[in-house]
Amino acid sequence: MKVAFLGTGLMGLPMAQRLLAAEDIQLVAYNRTPEKLAPLQAAGAEIVTHPRHAIRAAECVILMLTNASAIYNVLLSDTAWQTLEGSTIIQMGTITPTESQEIRDAVVAGGGEYLEAPVLGSISEAKAGKLSVMVGAEPEQYQRHLKLLQNFGTEPLLIGPVGSAAALKLALNQLIASLTSSFALSLAFVQRQGVDVDVFMQILRDSPLYAPTFDKKLQRMLDGNYADPNFPTKHLLKDTELFISEAKSQSLDLSSIKGVRQILQTAVKMSFADDDYSSLFSVIKEWGEAIGD
């Protein structure tokens, strides 16, 4: 089977490498920044300079692009869209349910089929093939592409039709933003109050309040070291904004997540855009001092 992989960024690269290592898959890859394709090319992947070449060459096209705008530019431009007939498109990035459904309609109009399969997890889990894969598709599509999706996670889960998996991914990323900001605020508070951080963490770990992500981000926050991110601040801000835009029509009170969005926006302004999203800890400590709140 020949698979095209479009988008080889922080998560896309290890995911594409998983396919390249599979015995029954030939990989053709495209990225808007060609330099990011070097590791795949060195490992034997076919590299193309235009997405239409990848689409034409492959039976299945996987998208791991930044946002819906990138998908439209790469997949649904006039030249690329004309090559979609007979192709299967699997969208694995984070976009809104509405955007996913609109892209599906465009793909189907071009003669292709579409399913969504966003993932939850870090770079290390992508390398190990242990991502949580959420699938929005018809049951028959899910079964037909299950073996391919198992390269990324052992148990891809069918959530429902297109849009349902995209919605679930946004709900989970809202939790990432909210949990991390809440933990950062409590951590900053106990520090200011002179409470030993080790004691704080001991009590927290033994309580129902604990989430493993707290320990994953603790040392970064204490050290102020946000380099080499698994998930950059700018991407969490993007996903938070997507959640808010999609949730507006659901009659939900969005006050809390809007506050988190403001923190993330400030982090980007403080030059943390490409750093790990745990950088919001610095915003909570330093920005709060600056405005006197």
Side-chain angles (χ1 to χ4, degrees):
M1 182 181 188
K2 199 163 193 179
V3 177
F5 204 103
L6 310 184
T8 57
L10 285 175
M11 288 291 287
L13 177 59
M15 290 172 67
Q17 288 170 328
R18 292 283 308 174
L19 296 182
L20 192 57
E23 293 181 0
D24 56 346
I25 294 175
Q26 291 178 286
L27 185 71
V28 54
Y30 167 82
N31 196 75
R32 291 180 295 172
T33 306
E35 294 78 14
K36 293 182 179 181
L37 293 165
L40 293 174
Q41 186 171 26
E46 179 184 347
I47 303 302
V48 296
T49 57
H50 196 285
R52 69 174 180 270
H53 299 148
I55 296 167
R56 283 175 180 162
E59 304 162 50
C60 181
V61 179
I62 292 177
L63 307 178
M64 197 62 183
L65 297 163
T66 305
N67 51 34
S69 177
I71 294 173
Y72 276 96
N73 288 336
V74 169
L75 184 75
L76 299 174
S77 66
D78 289 342
T79 53
W81 183 78
Q82 293 172 9
T83 65
L84 290 179
E85 187 168 358
S87 297
T88 296
I89 309 299
I90 303 179
Q91 198 298 115
M92 302 193 74
T94 303
I95 58 177
T96 70
T98 300
E99 289 169 336
S100 190
Q101 291 161 349
E102 290 173 349
I103 292 167
R104 174 203 57 198
D105 293 346
V107 169
V108 171
E113 72 163 344
Y114 175 94
L115 56 155
E116 61 186 15
V119 297
L120 182 70
S122 65
I123 292 173
S124 61
E125 289 160 331
K127 289 179 178 178
K130 294 182 178 180
L131 294 168
S132 296
V133 183
M134 299 158 278
V135 185
E138 296 302 318
E140 181 274 332
Q141 288 178 305
Y142 167 76
Q143 290 296 336
R144 187 155 34 91
H145 298 290
L146 181 58
K147 183 179 178 182
L148 174 62
L149 294 173
Q150 285 174 330
N151 286 286
F152 309 118
T154 55
E155 297 182 9
L157 184 63
L158 178 61
I159 308 303
V162 169
S164 60
L168 179 54
K169 178 62 194 303
L170 284 184
L172 292 167
N173 279 22
Q174 188 278 145
L175 270 178
I176 292 173
S178 294
L179 281 174
T180 306
S181 61
S182 293
F183 173 68
L185 181 58
S186 289
L187 178 62
F189 181 75
V190 298
Q191 283 183 315
R192 295 285 172 85
Q193 293 290 329
V195 176
D196 189 303
V197 170
D198 289 337
V199 173
F200 166 62
M201 292 304 300
Q202 178 184 342
I203 298 295
L204 180 58
R205 291 186 191 108
D206 290 338
S207 78
L209 303 173
Y210 178 71
T213 187
F214 298 158
D215 267 311
K216 289 182 179 180
K217 298 304 178 185
L218 175 64
Q219 203 58 50
R220 280 186 177 274
M221 292 179 179
L222 295 177
D223 296 343
N225 178 11
Y226 312 119
D228 300 318
N230 280 319
F231 191 24
T233 305
K234 63 183 181 183
H235 289 169
L236 185 56
L237 173 58
K238 182 266 293 185
D239 293 350
T240 299
E241 290 176 333
L242 290 180
F243 177 88
I244 292 171
S245 70
E246 191 74 13
K248 279 181 179 177
S249 63
Q250 305 300 312
S251 300
L252 300 172
D253 188 330
L254 302 176
S255 303
S256 61
I257 191 60
K258 286 181 178 179
V260 175
R261 176 178 63 181
Q262 185 175 3
I263 294 169
L264 291 168
Q265 288 171 335
T266 303
V268 169
K269 292 177 183 176
M270 290 173 65
S271 301
F272 292 125
D274 294 312
D275 292 319
D276 188 84
Y277 65 88
S278 54
S279 62
L280 57 78
F281 180 66
S282 287
V283 177
I284 287 171
K285 290 183 69 174
E286 299 170 22
W287 186 62
E289 288 178 347
I291 64 174
D293 284 344

